[in-house]
Amino acid sequence: MPTTESGTDGPGRPGTSRCGSSPCPAAAGKANATHPTAPPRGLGAELLHSALHGMRPPDRALALLLQRVHADRRVDVPRLALLRLLLNRSPDPQDHLMPQLDKDSTDPAYVCGRIFAVLESVQEAALPDINTTLRDKYFSTAVSAPSLTLRRLFADSTAHFKRLNRDKPGAGRALESRLLELYSKVSDDLPGHLSDVQQGRFIIGYAHQRHEDLAQKRAAADRKKAAVPAQAAPTPDPVSA
């Protein structure tokens, strides 16, 4: 059937162009631009320009990144790298963060992120088979309004510690000590709401503490495994030998 000039293959098949059964590149590009996971238009070029010229990244990059984190609660390596870039290029030295856990930091937003990570570790230790984690339910609200959320989760952790003190007393004591130490740094100064930059510091603090907690968990498992004596090899039967 000849292709009509309107760009369709006849009545009832709108949208199929003279490119054949596959969409034209222009149409594909338009579809990708509206895909929910596609980067905002022009942002990639702006970030590349700022990287090549040592300039501060565009102001909108931080807000857009935070929107993605709030939407899917995913904190992965590429997002953390971009977040650190955005904060460390800030003209305010207070926004600059270390690449690893900063145990001496008293910045409320950073410490609140660490507290949330420890609370998540407490839940995981007490309820290892739980399907919906603290991050699934509370991460977005904790990032934007930590005071109300963290106070609630801190109170809820009492039940988790009761279970840990019964089943895993060593892990319970270590996590409780870590949580109380962090909470003492900001108990009188839990921020009600965080700006975009402060939310970035919260997320970095969360990621740093999460990495530290998982590393300690693996180390404890390795020590426990090493402490188990190796099973002795069976003695050969002299009759059958």
Short mmCIF file of all heavy atoms in Angstrom, two decimals, residues 155-185:
data_model
loop_
_atom_site.label_atom_id
_atom_site.label_comp_id
_atom_site.label_asym_id
_atom_site.label_seq_id
_atom_site.Cartn_x
_atom_site.Cartn_y
_atom_site.Cartn_z
N ALA A 155 11.75 6.69 69.19
CA ALA A 155 10.83 6.09 70.16
C ALA A 155 10.43 4.67 69.73
O ALA A 155 10.36 3.75 70.56
CB ALA A 155 9.60 6.96 70.32
N ASP A 156 10.20 4.49 68.43
CA ASP A 156 9.82 3.17 67.93
C ASP A 156 10.94 2.15 68.06
O ASP A 156 10.67 0.93 68.09
CB ASP A 156 9.39 3.26 66.46
CG ASP A 156 8.08 4.03 66.28
OD1 ASP A 156 7.38 4.25 67.30
OD2 ASP A 156 7.76 4.41 65.14
N SER A 157 12.18 2.62 68.11
CA SER A 157 13.31 1.68 68.18
C SER A 157 13.38 0.93 69.50
O SER A 157 14.10 -0.07 69.61
CB SER A 157 14.63 2.44 67.96
OG SER A 157 14.92 3.30 69.04
N THR A 158 12.63 1.38 70.51
CA THR A 158 12.63 0.69 71.80
C THR A 158 12.25 -0.77 71.66
O THR A 158 12.87 -1.67 72.25
CB THR A 158 11.67 1.39 72.78
OG1 THR A 158 12.05 2.77 72.91
CG2 THR A 158 11.72 0.73 74.14
N ALA A 159 11.23 -1.04 70.86
CA ALA A 159 10.80 -2.43 70.65
C ALA A 159 11.88 -3.25 69.95
O ALA A 159 12.08 -4.43 70.26
CB ALA A 159 9.51 -2.45 69.84
N HIS A 160 12.59 -2.62 69.01
CA HIS A 160 13.66 -3.32 68.31
C HIS A 160 14.80 -3.67 69.27
O HIS A 160 15.37 -4.77 69.21
CB HIS A 160 14.18 -2.47 67.16
CG HIS A 160 13.17 -2.23 66.09
ND1 HIS A 160 13.18 -1.10 65.30
CD2 HIS A 160 12.10 -2.95 65.70
CE1 HIS A 160 12.17 -1.16 64.45
NE2 HIS A 160 11.50 -2.27 64.68
N PHE A 161 15.13 -2.73 70.15
CA PHE A 161 16.22 -2.99 71.10
C PHE A 161 15.84 -4.09 72.10
O PHE A 161 16.70 -4.86 72.54
CB PHE A 161 16.62 -1.71 71.82
CG PHE A 161 17.53 -0.82 71.02
CD1 PHE A 161 17.13 0.45 70.64
CD2 PHE A 161 18.78 -1.26 70.64
CE1 PHE A 161 17.96 1.27 69.89
CE2 PHE A 161 19.63 -0.45 69.88
CZ PHE A 161 19.21 0.81 69.51
N LYS A 162 14.58 -4.17 72.46
CA LYS A 162 14.14 -5.25 73.35
C LYS A 162 14.39 -6.61 72.71
O LYS A 162 14.86 -7.55 73.34
CB LYS A 162 12.67 -5.08 73.71
CG LYS A 162 12.38 -3.96 74.70
CD LYS A 162 10.90 -3.91 75.03
CE LYS A 162 10.60 -2.80 76.05
NZ LYS A 162 9.16 -2.73 76.37
N ARG A 163 14.06 -6.69 71.42
CA ARG A 163 14.28 -7.94 70.70
C ARG A 163 15.78 -8.24 70.57
O ARG A 163 16.22 -9.38 70.73
CB ARG A 163 13.64 -7.85 69.31
CG ARG A 163 13.78 -9.12 68.48
CD ARG A 163 13.22 -8.88 67.09
NE ARG A 163 11.77 -8.79 67.12
CZ ARG A 163 10.96 -9.80 66.83
NH1 ARG A 163 11.45 -10.98 66.50
NH2 ARG A 163 9.65 -9.65 66.86
N LEU A 164 16.57 -7.19 70.28
CA LEU A 164 18.01 -7.39 70.14
C LEU A 164 18.66 -7.80 71.46
O LEU A 164 19.54 -8.67 71.48
CB LEU A 164 18.67 -6.11 69.61
CG LEU A 164 18.43 -5.78 68.14
CD1 LEU A 164 19.04 -4.43 67.79
CD2 LEU A 164 19.03 -6.86 67.25
N ASN A 165 18.25 -7.17 72.55
CA ASN A 165 18.83 -7.52 73.86
C ASN A 165 18.52 -8.96 74.24
O ASN A 165 19.27 -9.59 75.00
CB ASN A 165 18.31 -6.57 74.93
CG ASN A 165 18.85 -5.16 74.76
OD1 ASN A 165 19.92 -4.97 74.18
ND2 ASN A 165 18.11 -4.17 75.24
N ARG A 166 17.43 -9.48 73.68
CA ARG A 166 17.08 -10.88 73.95
C ARG A 166 17.82 -11.84 73.01
O ARG A 166 18.34 -12.86 73.45
CB ARG A 166 15.57 -11.06 73.78
CG ARG A 166 15.05 -12.47 74.08
CD ARG A 166 13.62 -12.61 73.61
NE ARG A 166 13.54 -12.53 72.15
CZ ARG A 166 12.42 -12.27 71.48
NH1 ARG A 166 11.30 -12.00 72.13
NH2 ARG A 166 12.43 -12.23 70.16
N ASP A 167 17.87 -11.49 71.72
CA ASP A 167 18.39 -12.43 70.72
C ASP A 167 19.84 -12.16 70.33
O ASP A 167 20.59 -13.10 70.04
CB ASP A 167 17.52 -12.39 69.46
CG ASP A 167 16.07 -12.76 69.74
OD1 ASP A 167 15.84 -13.47 70.75
OD2 ASP A 167 15.19 -12.34 68.98
N LYS A 168 20.23 -10.88 70.28
CA LYS A 168 21.58 -10.50 69.84
C LYS A 168 22.10 -9.40 70.75
O LYS A 168 22.23 -8.24 70.35
CB LYS A 168 21.57 -10.01 68.39
CG LYS A 168 20.96 -11.00 67.39
CD LYS A 168 20.85 -10.35 66.02
CE LYS A 168 20.17 -11.26 65.02
NZ LYS A 168 19.99 -10.59 63.70
N PRO A 169 22.40 -9.73 72.01
CA PRO A 169 22.76 -8.67 72.97
C PRO A 169 24.00 -7.88 72.58
O PRO A 169 24.05 -6.67 72.81
CB PRO A 169 22.98 -9.45 74.28
CG PRO A 169 23.20 -10.87 73.86
CD PRO A 169 22.40 -11.07 72.62
N GLY A 170 24.98 -8.53 71.96
CA GLY A 170 26.19 -7.80 71.56
C GLY A 170 25.89 -6.75 70.51
O GLY A 170 26.32 -5.59 70.63
N ALA A 171 25.15 -7.13 69.48
CA ALA A 171 24.79 -6.17 68.43
C ALA A 171 23.89 -5.08 68.99
O ALA A 171 24.02 -3.91 68.63
CB ALA A 171 24.08 -6.90 67.29
N GLY A 172 22.99 -5.45 69.90
CA GLY A 172 22.09 -4.46 70.49
C GLY A 172 22.84 -3.39 71.26
O GLY A 172 22.56 -2.20 71.13
N ARG A 173 23.82 -3.81 72.07
CA ARG A 173 24.59 -2.83 72.86
C ARG A 173 25.39 -1.91 71.95
O ARG A 173 25.47 -0.70 72.19
CB ARG A 173 25.51 -3.56 73.84
CG ARG A 173 24.79 -4.19 75.02
CD ARG A 173 25.78 -4.64 76.08
NE ARG A 173 26.67 -5.70 75.57
CZ ARG A 173 26.41 -7.00 75.66
NH1 ARG A 173 25.28 -7.41 76.23
NH2 ARG A 173 27.26 -7.89 75.19
N ALA A 174 26.01 -2.48 70.92
CA ALA A 174 26.83 -1.67 70.01
C ALA A 174 25.98 -0.63 69.27
O ALA A 174 26.36 0.54 69.17
CB ALA A 174 27.55 -2.57 69.02
N LEU A 175 24.83 -1.05 68.77
CA LEU A 175 23.96 -0.13 68.02
C LEU A 175 23.35 0.93 68.94
O LEU A 175 23.25 2.09 68.56
CB LEU A 175 22.86 -0.92 67.31
CG LEU A 175 23.31 -1.73 66.10
CD1 LEU A 175 22.21 -2.69 65.65
CD2 LEU A 175 23.70 -0.82 64.95
N GLU A 176 22.98 0.52 70.14
CA GLU A 176 22.39 1.49 71.07
C GLU A 176 23.42 2.54 71.47
O GLU A 176 23.11 3.74 71.54
CB GLU A 176 21.86 0.77 72.31
CG GLU A 176 21.11 1.68 73.26
CD GLU A 176 20.46 0.92 74.39
OE1 GLU A 176 20.93 -0.18 74.72
OE2 GLU A 176 19.47 1.44 74.96
N SER A 177 24.64 2.11 71.71
CA SER A 177 25.70 3.06 72.06
C SER A 177 25.96 4.03 70.92
O SER A 177 26.11 5.25 71.14
CB SER A 177 26.98 2.30 72.40
OG SER A 177 28.05 3.19 72.63
N ARG A 178 25.99 3.53 69.69
CA ARG A 178 26.22 4.36 68.53
C ARG A 178 25.08 5.37 68.35
O ARG A 178 25.31 6.55 68.07
CB ARG A 178 26.34 3.47 67.29
CG ARG A 178 26.97 4.13 66.07
CD ARG A 178 27.12 3.10 64.96
NE ARG A 178 27.76 1.89 65.45
CZ ARG A 178 27.66 0.71 64.86
NH1 ARG A 178 26.94 0.58 63.76
NH2 ARG A 178 28.28 -0.34 65.37
N LEU A 179 23.87 4.91 68.52
CA LEU A 179 22.71 5.78 68.34
C LEU A 179 22.66 6.87 69.39
O LEU A 179 22.42 8.05 69.08
CB LEU A 179 21.43 4.94 68.39
CG LEU A 179 20.11 5.68 68.13
CD1 LEU A 179 20.10 6.32 66.77
CD2 LEU A 179 18.94 4.72 68.28
N LEU A 180 22.90 6.52 70.65
CA LEU A 180 22.86 7.51 71.72
C LEU A 180 23.97 8.54 71.56
O LEU A 180 23.77 9.73 71.84
CB LEU A 180 22.97 6.81 73.08
CG LEU A 180 21.76 5.96 73.48
CD1 LEU A 180 22.03 5.24 74.79
CD2 LEU A 180 20.50 6.81 73.59
N GLU A 181 25.13 8.10 71.11
CA GLU A 181 26.24 9.04 70.89
C GLU A 181 25.87 10.07 69.84
O GLU A 181 26.12 11.27 70.00
CB GLU A 181 27.50 8.27 70.47
CG GLU A 181 28.68 9.17 70.17
CD GLU A 181 29.86 8.42 69.58
OE1 GLU A 181 29.77 7.18 69.44
OE2 GLU A 181 30.86 9.07 69.26
N LEU A 182 25.28 9.61 68.74
CA LEU A 182 24.90 10.54 67.68
C LEU A 182 23.75 11.44 68.12
O LEU A 182 23.76 12.65 67.85
CB LEU A 182 24.49 9.76 66.43
CG LEU A 182 25.61 9.05 65.68
CD1 LEU A 182 25.06 8.15 64.59
CD2 LEU A 182 26.58 10.07 65.08
N TYR A 183 22.78 10.86 68.79
CA TYR A 183 21.61 11.63 69.20
C TYR A 183 22.01 12.73 70.19
O TYR A 183 21.40 13.82 70.19
CB TYR A 183 20.57 10.70 69.83
CG TYR A 183 19.18 11.27 69.87
CD1 TYR A 183 18.36 11.27 68.74
CD2 TYR A 183 18.66 11.83 71.03
CE1 TYR A 183 17.09 11.80 68.78
CE2 TYR A 183 17.38 12.36 71.07
CZ TYR A 183 16.60 12.34 69.94
OH TYR A 183 15.34 12.86 69.98
N SER A 184 23.02 12.47 71.00
CA SER A 184 23.45 13.48 71.98
C SER A 184 24.02 14.72 71.30
O SER A 184 24.04 15.80 71.88
CB SER A 184 24.49 12.89 72.93
OG SER A 184 25.69 12.59 72.24
N LYS A 185 24.47 14.58 70.06
CA LYS A 185 25.05 15.72 69.34
C LYS A 185 23.99 16.71 68.86
O LYS A 185 24.30 17.90 68.66
CB LYS A 185 25.87 15.24 68.13
CG LYS A 185 27.11 14.44 68.49
CD LYS A 185 27.91 14.10 67.23
CE LYS A 185 29.19 13.37 67.58
NZ LYS A 185 30.03 13.11 66.38
#
